Amino acid sequence: MDEVKVISAKIPEEVYKEMILRVPEGDRSSFIRDAIMEKLQKTPKPDKILELEERFSNMEKEFAEIKKYLADLEMLTYERGKANPHTFALDDLDHKMVDYLVHYKGGTTPEIAEYLKTNRWLVLNRLRRLQKTSRKQLGKPVIDYYPGEKSGKKKAWWINEELTET
C-alpha cells in the first residue's frame, strides 16, 4: 500500500454503533478503507467518461462517412439514382420474390406465394418490409403496391422501374 493519509468522517451514531458491534476494534480502520476503495471502484472517473464520449462521437462520424462511401459505391455499380432491388433482400426467399417481380414486372401476393410455394401472409410481410426498407434508404420504394388495375392485374406489387436498374 502507498503512503497513508488520515481523514475524518462524520457518520450517524446508528452506523457507528453497528460498526462497533460487527467489526473488531483492530480491523475498523482497514474496514473503512476497504469500503471506500470498493465504492470508488464502482464510481466512474469523469475524465474517462468524457474521453469515451469523444471517442464514440468520432467513431459515429467515421461510420457515417463509411456508410456514405459504401452507398456511393453501390450507386456506382448501377446508374446514378438507380438501385439494385436485390440489395434490400435479406435471404433467399426475398431474392426469389425480387426475381419474380423483376421478371414479370409485378405480381399479386397470391401469385408470388404460389410461385414460391409458401404462405401468402409471409410473402405480404416480406414485400412490405422490402418496400419500407427501400423507402427508408432511397427515399422512394423499389417495389410498390397498387390497389387498382394495371397491366391486367388488380391489387398487385410492382417493381419501380425508374428507381431500379435490372
Side-chain angles (χ1 to χ4, degrees):
M1 188 181 297
D2 296 335
E3 185 182 339
V4 209
K5 297 289 182 179
V6 178
I7 62 166
S8 67
K10 293 181 180 183
I11 57 173
E13 191 172 345
E14 294 173 8
V15 176
Y16 179 72
K17 287 179 181 178
E18 189 73 2
M19 185 176 69
I20 290 173
L21 287 174
R22 292 186 185 194
V23 183
E25 193 172 343
D27 295 337
R28 290 181 191 148
S29 192
S30 62
F31 175 82
I32 294 170
R33 188 173 30 256
D34 291 342
I36 292 172
M37 291 300 291
E38 186 177 312
K39 185 70 175 181
L40 282 174
Q41 287 176 350
K42 291 180 182 177
T43 307
K45 296 179 183 176
D47 56 331
K48 233 355 178 187
I49 293 173
L50 183 63
E51 179 185 330
L52 289 172
E53 285 178 347
E54 288 174 358
R55 287 178 61 191
F56 184 75
S57 176
N58 288 339
M59 286 174 49
E60 282 181 330
K61 288 176 188 172
E62 290 172 4
F63 280 130
E65 202 171 323
I66 289 171
K67 267 176 95 173
K68 182 181 145 277
Y69 290 140
L70 288 175
D72 286 346
L73 286 174
E74 182 62 32
M75 294 304 159
L76 290 176
T77 309
Y78 298 91
E79 266 185 61
R80 197 84 172 135
K82 302 214 177 219
N84 180 1
H86 284 280
T87 57
F88 305 104
L90 292 181
D91 60 8
D92 195 42
L93 185 66
D94 287 355
H95 284 290
K96 287 180 182 177
M97 288 189 311
V98 170
D99 285 338
Y100 183 90
L101 291 172
V102 167
H103 184 266
Y104 294 104
K105 304 292 183 212
T108 64
T109 307
E111 289 174 344
I112 299 169
E114 186 179 319
Y115 170 77
L116 297 173
K117 296 177 179 40
T118 188
N119 182 341
R120 71 181 184 93
W121 290 104
L122 174 69
V123 171
L124 177 63
N125 290 332
R126 294 291 189 99
L127 288 168
R128 285 179 178 161
R129 187 187 43 73
L130 282 168
Q131 181 185 34
K132 183 179 173 185
T133 308
S134 63
R135 179 181 289 132
K136 202 180 274 187
Q137 290 183 15
L138 298 175
K140 292 182 181 177
V142 290
I143 60 168
D144 215 356
Y145 178 74
Y146 182 68
E149 189 172 337
K150 180 178 173 182
S151 300
K153 295 183 185 199
K154 288 183 182 177
K155 299 181 180 178
W157 291 89
W158 301 94
I159 199 87
N160 189 340
E161 293 178 12
E162 65 186 38
L163 278 180
T164 57
E165 174 71 31
T166 52

